[in-house]
């Protein structure tokens, strides 16, 4: 834990890479802060002599500003950027605040900052297979993905799409997510790809056999 100090809200800035894009309705939290104050300090990193970037506490800061507070208690810590990303990601994931896409973008951001798969799994506590499945969702058509989000689709349903190797085929079937036929489309695509894979393997074996015959 870093040093705790009171910092002016005007000197606190949201993190540009915070995985959580939508802070939601702040009315209830602002009313609670107005009544009881901020009960838990924010976690921040220092940007320069006066200004700080929020790592943990984006909603609290926004709600406190709405409630009319001018200063907030903050723990000032030292963190490199990948660790900042991991901390924000884990904080939001533990509270189930992130959408499926925000989770995926958070993991991808860590990779973009140079973190290895081992780093990401160690810092976030998620398994390698979970991280891979989340990031794979970013290959899906963003327009169709955003439309499907309105249906409150579970993460498990999205992850069924990872069974399909062809990207265009995945995006085509994404249109059916949330319908009674979705599983049928998934299974049909998996069977089709398995069949095509066997055909490809047979053609390879046949070519290899022809070459062996020509050599003999």
């Amino acid at each position: 834990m870093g040093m705790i100090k009171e910092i002016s809200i005007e000197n606190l800035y949201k993190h540009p890479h915070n995985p959580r894009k939508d802070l939601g309705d702040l009315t209830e939290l602002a009313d609670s802060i107005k009544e009881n104050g901020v009960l838990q300090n924010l976690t921040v990193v220092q940007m320069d002599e006066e200004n700080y970037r929020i790592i943990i506490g984006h909603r609290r800061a926004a709600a406190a500003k709405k409630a009319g507070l001018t200063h907030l208690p903050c723990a000032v810590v030292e963190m490199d950027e990948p660790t900042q990303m991991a901390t924000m990601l884990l904080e939001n994931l533990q509270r189930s605040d992130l959408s499926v896409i925000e989770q995926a973008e958070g993991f991808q951001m860590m990779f973009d900052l140079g973190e290895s798969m081992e780093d990401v799994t160690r810092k976030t506590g998620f398994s390698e297979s979970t991280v891979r499945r989340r990031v794979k969702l970013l290959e899906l058509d963003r327009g169709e993905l955003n439309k499907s989000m309105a249906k409150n689709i579970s993460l498990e349903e999205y992850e069924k799409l990872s069974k399909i190797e062809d990207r265009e085929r995945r995006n085509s079937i994404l249109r059916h997510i949330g319908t009674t036929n979705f599983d049928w489309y998934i299974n049909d695509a998996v069977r089709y790809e398995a069949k095509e894979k066997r055909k490809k393997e047979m053609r390879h074996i046949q070519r290899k056999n022809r070459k062996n015959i020509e050599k003999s």
Side-chain angles (χ1 to χ4, degrees), residues 188-199 201:
D188 185 60
V190 170
R191 284 193 297 267
Y192 175 80
E193 289 190 340
K195 184 178 178 181
E196 290 299 301
K197 186 177 181 180
R198 286 194 298 270
K199 283 183 180 179
E201 289 172 348

Side-chain angles (χ1 to χ4, degrees), residues 157-173:
E157 290 294 285
Y158 285 106
E159 289 184 345
K160 289 178 182 178
L161 289 162
S162 65
K163 298 177 184 177
I164 303 168
E165 294 183 8
D166 183 78
R167 183 171 181 171
E168 289 186 13
R169 193 170 292 112
R170 282 200 304 271
N171 281 320
S172 177
I173 294 174

Side-chain angles (χ1 to χ4, degrees), residues 29-207:
L29 181 56
D31 289 344
S32 174
I33 288 174
K34 195 178 293 185
E35 182 73 22
N36 305 303
V38 175
L39 302 179
Q40 185 179 4
N41 58 264
L42 282 66
T43 300
V44 303
V45 293
Q46 194 157 2
M47 297 167 60
D48 53 41
E49 190 173 336
E50 294 184 347
N51 300 307
Y52 300 81
R53 180 166 287 157
I54 301 169
I55 304 300
I56 298 175
H58 286 84
R59 288 193 84 243
R60 266 169 283 157
K65 191 169 186 177
K66 186 173 183 175
L69 272 65
T70 59
H71 289 73
L72 291 174
C74 300
V76 183
V77 300
E78 291 186 9
M79 283 184 190
D80 59 26
E81 197 162 359
T83 304
Q84 292 174 28
M85 276 302 307
T87 302
M88 290 187 293
L89 183 61
L90 187 57
E91 171 75 7
N92 284 293
L93 288 172
Q94 286 175 339
R95 299 185 181 204
S96 302
D97 282 335
L98 294 187
S99 71
V100 173
I101 297 309
E102 287 171 335
Q103 290 179 25
E105 289 175 339
F107 288 131
Q108 185 60 57
M109 181 68 71
M110 292 181 71
F111 288 128
D112 292 343
L113 290 169
E115 297 287 88
S116 66
M117 176 62 76
E118 184 180 354
D119 293 331
V120 174
T121 56
R122 175 173 51 81
K123 289 181 177 180
T124 65
F126 283 83
S127 69
E128 182 174 329
S129 62
T130 297
V131 173
R132 289 191 189 281
R133 288 198 302 270
R134 298 289 198 279
V135 172
K136 199 173 184 67
L137 293 174
L138 297 178
E139 296 178 4
L140 296 171
D141 179 83
R142 189 53 61 91
E144 287 295 331
L145 201 53
N146 289 337
K147 286 180 191 176
S148 69
M149 290 296 171
K151 303 177 185 176
N152 293 320
I153 307 298
S154 69
L155 183 57
E156 288 72 19
E157 290 294 285
Y158 285 106
E159 289 184 345
K160 289 178 182 178
L161 289 162
S162 65
K163 298 177 184 177
I164 303 168
E165 294 183 8
D166 183 78
R167 183 171 181 171
E168 289 186 13
R169 193 170 292 112
R170 282 200 304 271
N171 281 320
S172 177
I173 294 174
L174 174 61
R175 300 189 187 101
H176 302 284
I177 198 167
T179 69
T180 54
N181 294 325
F182 180 62
D183 283 343
W184 182 88
Y185 281 107
I186 291 287
N187 294 331
D188 185 60
V190 170
R191 284 193 297 267
Y192 175 80
E193 289 190 340
K195 184 178 178 181
E196 290 299 301
K197 186 177 181 180
R198 286 194 298 270
K199 283 183 180 179
K200 187 176 180 180
E201 289 172 348
M202 285 302 298
R203 286 195 295 268
H204 176 72
I205 292 171
Q206 289 169 353
R207 283 195 300 269

